[in-house]
């Protein structure tokens, strides 16, 4: 492929990847993006592959993460986008490296079918690395999170986000294989069979996903209320409005209690979002009394998102259970966020970061929790995660293996926008299918919603508006295959990527040897 065409294909890959994600939601564009980048880097040097990958990554992550720029300025947004882009650059370099696999010169790789498998495995390996590094990683923009309305979503029940991502990239690899083999076939009918076979294989992957059984929650049903109290103003100063935010949630819950006394069905539990009470209700008596008043009014326990301040433990982002009839000073169940967001809830390299943005010192280093968010809230054992934790496989899985029957995601989107909220909701939908649990997302400003174990949503609220939504959810009792396997599918696919990278090394050596005997030396230099 000429350099200009490769550059165009890489740029198109970035655009296609972007529109695969909410708020656009064109899930089929994700495998198309993988195919475009794979074709663009095929047969090129690793250095060229890396730069082509960065073109794709920049055109994907920069607009995808634009919500990080709303209140913090350009620099943090661009730095995060550049960091994430580098990982796609690695995919491009690795994609160039595996080019010899397409030629199928080994007995175990007749027809070059290892190449599309390698394309799929490399994307999963890249995401595994990006999910963990640096500072605990940032999994936003994983292929699986674009598939919340896709037929491939069912694969989450078998192998979680890594298996869904692998299927997306494998289909993209097969599409790229069909293109490259089709170009090479020319008018040779026999060689045209391979591209057709690749198309059939891609369709078979999608069809196989439909055969994956979904877990059927076998527990009792519970009636759940989510309170979205809203904030006076969007932006970083939401915590300067903390009493108003608390009052909003208290007022909405008391109004719900009034409806119950008028004959409406009483919820079994109520969920408030992250930062619903940035006044520590365990130390500030007035805040605690207000929450107790709300719990007593509705006659149901409330899972409250709160910020706690203590000389012993520092600042904690927590979920607290306030039961009706609680006496002031009684202990409450508590989950403390285990993965505070770097550069938002904790500040690595603070001295250097201060030179980048004057907003740095608005970030207080929060203390990370050590236990999974498994809480008894009325009749339900809840698996709770807070905000971005929903993006991390292990943090969600730990709540289910710890006994969680219902997944709750407490989040605060007041510093972002609706696009970010919809991207987060897509993750909630995947987690519901992955673990066979009904789930909910409770946001201060929206979007709040319920997600069934099939991934279907209901009760979606608007953005930047107060709302109360109610739904009957079912408690899950069985563990899906994905829950039981844990991280094994990701490890296996990443190991496969490493093995195929090694196999490509031998393929490159053999190709170079062959060319040295019968080809122009300049071609050998290109290799």
């Amino acid at each position: 492929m000429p350099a200009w065409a490769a550059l165009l294909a890489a740029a198109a890959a970035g655009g296609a990847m972007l529109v695969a994600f909410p708020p656009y939601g064109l899930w089929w564009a994700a495998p198309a993006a993988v195919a475009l980048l794979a074709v663009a880097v095929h047969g090129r040097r690793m250095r060229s592959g890396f730069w082509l990958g960065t073109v794709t990554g920049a055109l994907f992550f920069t607009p995808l993460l634009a919500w990080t720029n709303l209140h913090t300025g350009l620099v943090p947004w661009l730095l995060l986008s550049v960091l994430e882009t580098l990982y796609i650059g690695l995919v491009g370099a690795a994609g160039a490296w595996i080019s010899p696999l397409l030629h199928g010169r080994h007995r175990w790789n007749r027809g070059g079918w290892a190449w599309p498998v390698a394309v799929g495995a490399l994307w999963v390996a890249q995401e595994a690395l990006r999910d963990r590094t640096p500072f605990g990683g940032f999994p936003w923009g994983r292929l699986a999170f674009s598939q919340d309305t896709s037929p491939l979503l069912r694969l989450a029940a078998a192998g979680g986000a890594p298996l869904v991502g692998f299927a997306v990239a494998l289909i993209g690899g097969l599409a790229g294989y069909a293109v490259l083999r089709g170009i090479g076939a020319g008018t040779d009918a026999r060689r045209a069979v391979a591209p057709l076979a690749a198309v059939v294989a891609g369709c078979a992957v999608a069809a196989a996903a439909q055969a994956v059984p979904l877990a059927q929650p076998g527990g009792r049903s519970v009636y759940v209320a989510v309170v979205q109290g809203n904030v006076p103003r969007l932006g970083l100063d939401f915590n300067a409005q903390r009493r108003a935010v608390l009052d909003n949630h208290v007022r909405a819950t008391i109004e719900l209690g009034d409806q119950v006394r008028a004959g409406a069905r009483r919820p079994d539990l109520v969920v408030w979002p992250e930062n619903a009470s940035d006044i520590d209700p365990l130390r500030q008596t007035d805040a605690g009394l207000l929450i107790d008043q709300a719990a007593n009014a509705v006659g149901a326990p409330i899972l409250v998102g709160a910020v706690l301040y203590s000389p012993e433990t520092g600042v904690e982002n927590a979920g607290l259970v306030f039961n009706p009839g609680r006496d002031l000073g009684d202990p409450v169940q508590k989950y403390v966020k285990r993965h505070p967001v770097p550069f938002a809830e904790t500040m690595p390299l603070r001295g250097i970061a201060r030179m980048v943005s004057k907003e740095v010192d608005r970030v207080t280093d929060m203390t990370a929790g050590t236990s999974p968010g498994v809480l008894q809230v009325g009749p339900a054992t809840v698996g709770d995660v807070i905000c971005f934790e929903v993006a991390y496989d292990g943090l969600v899985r730990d709540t289910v293996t710890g006994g969680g029957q219902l997944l709750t995601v407490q989040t605060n989107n007041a510093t972002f926008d609706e696009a970010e909220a919809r991207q987060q909701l897509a993750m909630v939908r995947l987690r519901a299918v992955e673990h066979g649990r009904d789930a909910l997302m409770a946001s201060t400003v929206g979007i709040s919603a319920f997600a069934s174990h099939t991934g279907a949503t209901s009760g979606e609220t608007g953005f930047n508006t107060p709302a109360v939504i109610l739904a009957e959810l079912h408690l899950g009792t069985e563990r899906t295959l994905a829950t039981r396997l844990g991280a094994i599918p990701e490890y296996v696919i990443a190991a496969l990527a490493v093995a195929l990278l090694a196999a490509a090394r031998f393929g490159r050596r053999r190709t170079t040897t062959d060319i040295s005997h019968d080809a122009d030396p300049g071609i050998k230099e290109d290799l």
Side-chain angles (χ1 to χ4, degrees):
M1 178 179 288
W4 65 266
L7 182 61
L8 186 62
M17 190 68 76
L18 174 66
V19 299
F21 285 79
Y24 311 102
L26 305 179
W27 57 265
W28 46 266
V34 172
L36 284 165
L37 180 59
V39 171
V41 303
H42 178 70
R44 313 193 79 83
R45 298 181 183 181
M46 290 181 65
R47 181 174 59 190
S48 297
F50 175 81
W51 289 117
L52 289 170
T54 60
V55 169
T56 298
L59 293 177
F60 169 47
F61 278 117
T62 307
L64 183 78
L65 302 176
W67 45 265
T68 63
N69 173 45
L70 295 178
H71 305 287
T72 60
L74 288 173
V75 175
W77 165 48
L78 294 178
L79 286 177
L80 178 60
S81 299
V82 168
L83 176 63
E84 299 299 288
T85 291
L86 294 178
Y87 289 91
I88 308 301
L90 293 178
V91 171
W97 174 263
I98 64 169
S99 295
L101 294 178
L102 184 67
H103 305 309
R105 290 190 171 92
H106 296 280
R107 291 181 180 178
W108 58 270
N109 184 30
R110 293 299 183 191
W113 291 102
W115 184 82
V117 175
V119 170
L122 286 172
W123 273 92
V124 175
Q126 170 267 136
E127 291 182 347
L129 181 64
R130 186 163 62 84
D131 295 354
R132 294 166 172 83
T133 60
F135 310 115
F138 187 66
W140 219 267
R142 295 170 70 181
L143 290 176
F145 297 155
S146 68
Q147 302 297 298
D148 58 313
T149 59
S150 160
L152 299 178
L153 181 65
R154 296 176 71 101
L155 288 171
L163 184 59
V164 176
F166 178 68
V168 172
L170 175 60
I171 292 173
L174 288 166
Y177 179 94
V179 170
L180 293 171
R181 284 295 192 185
I183 293 173
T187 59
D188 188 338
R190 291 176 299 175
R191 296 182 65 183
V193 172
L196 179 61
V199 173
V200 172
C203 294
V205 172
Q210 299 308 297
V212 175
L214 298 180
Q216 299 297 323
R220 59 167 289 185
S221 62
V222 291
Y223 195 49
V224 183
V226 172
V227 175
Q228 177 179 303
N230 208 15
V231 300
R233 297 180 307 279
L234 298 176
L236 287 176
D237 63 342
F238 71 88
N239 57 359
Q241 315 160 51
R242 53 190 180 180
R243 182 53 188 262
V245 175
L246 174 58
D247 288 344
N248 287 350
H249 288 85
V250 170
R251 184 184 309 110
T253 307
I254 291 176
E255 290 174 355
L256 177 61
D258 292 340
Q259 296 171 18
V260 169
R261 284 189 293 275
R265 182 179 176 183
R266 186 187 308 276
D268 294 304
L269 63 147
V270 179
V271 181
W272 288 5
E274 177 189 25
N275 297 121
S277 179
D278 275 2
I279 304 172
D280 185 344
L282 303 184
R283 289 183 169 268
Q284 300 293 323
T285 304
D286 57 340
L289 286 172
L290 284 172
I291 298 172
D292 285 333
Q293 180 185 358
N296 291 333
V298 76
I302 305 176
L303 176 58
V304 179
V307 176
L308 309 180
Y309 306 86
S310 166
E312 295 80 21
T313 59
V315 182
E316 297 173 318
N317 191 350
L320 307 175
V321 180
F322 276 71
N323 291 305
R326 185 186 81 99
D327 291 329
L328 188 64
D330 284 353
V332 300
Q333 294 181 77
K334 177 175 74 171
Y335 164 62
V336 176
K337 188 174 185 179
R338 297 169 65 192
H339 195 293
V341 179
F343 302 101
E345 295 172 323
T346 183
M347 186 57 62
L349 310 175
R350 183 177 291 271
I352 297 175
R354 191 177 288 118
M355 294 185 292
V356 174
S357 173
K358 62 182 180 180
E359 303 290 350
V360 163
D361 290 324
R362 299 183 68 167
V363 176
T364 301
D365 289 324
M366 289 188 168
T367 303
T370 57
S371 300
V374 181
L375 302 168
Q376 191 66 38
V377 188
T381 304
V382 167
D384 187 41
V385 292
I386 298 176
C387 201
F388 287 4
E389 288 187 321
V390 70
Y392 295 86
D393 297 346
L395 296 181
V396 181
R397 183 170 56 246
D398 285 350
T399 70
V400 178
T401 57
Q405 303 169 307
L406 174 71
L407 296 178
T408 62
V409 180
Q410 297 175 285
T411 185
N412 174 22
N413 307 103
T415 55
F416 306 126
D417 62 12
E418 185 173 349
E420 183 273 343
R422 292 202 173 277
Q423 290 163 19
Q424 197 171 21
L425 181 58
M427 302 176 199
V428 177
R429 299 176 72 171
L430 181 139
R431 298 306 181 193
V433 174
E434 179 180 4
H435 298 294
R437 298 292 188 268
D438 286 354
L440 63 87
M441 184 164 104
S443 171
T444 47
V445 299
I447 300 170
S448 300
F450 300 103
S452 77
H453 65 283
T454 66
T457 59
S458 62
E460 290 188 25
T461 65
F463 189 77
N464 193 22
T465 182
V468 176
I469 55 175
L470 298 103
E472 189 168 5
L473 305 181
H474 297 275
L475 302 182
T477 56
E478 297 183 2
R479 296 184 182 181
T480 63
L481 179 60
T483 306
R484 295 195 299 270
L485 290 176
I488 291 176
E490 183 178 50
Y491 293 156
V492 169
I493 297 170
L496 177 62
V498 173
L500 290 174
L501 284 170
R505 168 62 179 165
F506 293 109
R508 296 178 72 87
R509 181 181 299 171
R510 180 171 179 174
T511 301
T512 302
T513 301
D514 292 344
I515 288 176
S516 66
H517 286 94
D518 55 15
D520 184 87
I523 301 177
K524 180 178 177 181
E525 176 63 23
D526 285 341
L527 290 173

